[in-house]
Structure formats: structure tokens, C-alpha cells
Amino acid sequence: MLSRHYRSRPGWSQGRVVSSQECMARILILDDEPLISEMLADWLVEMQCEPVGPAATVEEAMRLLAEAAPDAAILDVSLRDGDSTRCAEALRDRGIPFAFATGYGRRGLPKGFEDTLLLAKPFDFAHVRQVIARFDTARSAAK
């Protein structure tokens, strides 16, 4: 049964479907660059994951976190409306694994999150796959 859709914003491609039997994880995407978010969502679908979002603001991400119950998240550190620290804190409080995406390396991570999983920009498909595998390992260990 094909029943899971990832939400998209107006003007973005609509109606992507992932079989609930094949879906490894629901991954929340928080990034305010539409082309980057769309590429990341496409890659997640290729990896048989279900993208949640993408969200372009912390407010959108917090709403999706509450409504969609993601298994993991990829958060852009720097957003037009600030940074993603509030979302990271909420994920950490819920025990949901996440990675920060940044082009500034570890020095670009928010204070208190220096040991968080890092996804370097520009994205590389193989590295995104490694991060997703780490999410899966973290989810398995938490069970």
C-alpha cells in the first residue's frame, strides 16, 4: 500500500510516495534553500527513506516534529530567521538522532552541540548515506 507522502511547500514537486513497507526512516529536513532541500529529499527517497518536510524555518520544523514524529533529522545550522538550535534541543530532548548541515565544519556548530553528527556542505551523496546509516544505528541502539 502506498500511503506515505512527504509534505512539500507550494511550488515544490508534489506527491512523492514511499511504500510504508520499504521506508527505513522518516527524516525531517530543515533547510531554507529550496534547491538544497529538494535535492536532499530526492536523495532520501533514493535511499528508501521518507522525507518529512522540508521545512524552511524553525517554526515549520517544530510543527512537523510535533505532527509527523520523524525518526531522525538533518538541520541546516544557519537559517534566514536565525539558527536551528531550538529544533536541535527539541530533538535531543526527545532522543531523536540528528545531524547538523553546515559548510563551516565543527566551528559552525552551536555551543553545546560540538559533538553532534556533522553533514558537510556541499553535500556528497555517499556522506549523506553514511549519516543515514548512523541514524539507523542510533535508532536500533535506542530500542
Side-chain angles (χ1 to χ4, degrees):
M1 178 171 164
L2 299 176
S3 61
R4 290 189 163 175
H5 297 263
Y6 80 86
R7 299 169 189 235
S8 73
R9 299 185 333 172
W12 292 25
S13 41
Q14 302 273 330
R16 294 202 198 215
V17 179
V18 177
S19 165
S20 57
Q21 295 172 342
E22 295 173 1
C23 186
M24 293 184 344
R26 296 169 44 84
I27 312 293
L28 173 65
I29 300 170
L30 171 57
D31 197 304
D32 58 357
E33 293 294 332
L35 291 176
I36 292 172
S37 294
E38 189 68 18
M39 178 191 70
L40 189 54
D42 287 344
W43 285 0
L44 291 174
V45 169
E46 282 185 48
M47 292 178 222
Q48 298 182 342
C49 294
E50 180 181 356
V52 176
T57 67
V58 171
E59 293 305 319
E60 281 181 89
M62 295 300 288
R63 182 181 54 76
L64 288 171
L65 180 58
E67 293 174 4
D71 299 307
I74 297 173
L75 311 175
D76 185 8
V77 173
S78 300
L79 304 166
R80 284 185 197 97
D81 66 342
D83 65 38
S84 59
T85 303
R86 192 170 119 225
C87 190
E89 289 168 344
L91 290 161
R92 183 174 58 192
D93 290 348
R94 289 174 171 89
I96 299 172
F98 64 94
F100 279 118
T102 181
Y104 298 104
R106 292 237 165 253
R107 65 182 162 78
L109 297 181
K111 188 173 179 116
F113 290 96
E114 295 85 2
D115 294 330
T116 302
L117 199 54
L118 178 67
L119 185 57
K121 286 184 171 184
F123 294 135
D124 170 85
F125 185 83
H127 192 214
V128 172
R129 185 178 301 230
Q130 290 172 348
V131 166
I132 299 306
R134 300 263 313 263
F135 289 161
D136 198 40
T137 301
R139 286 180 344 157
S140 295
K143 289 182 180 178

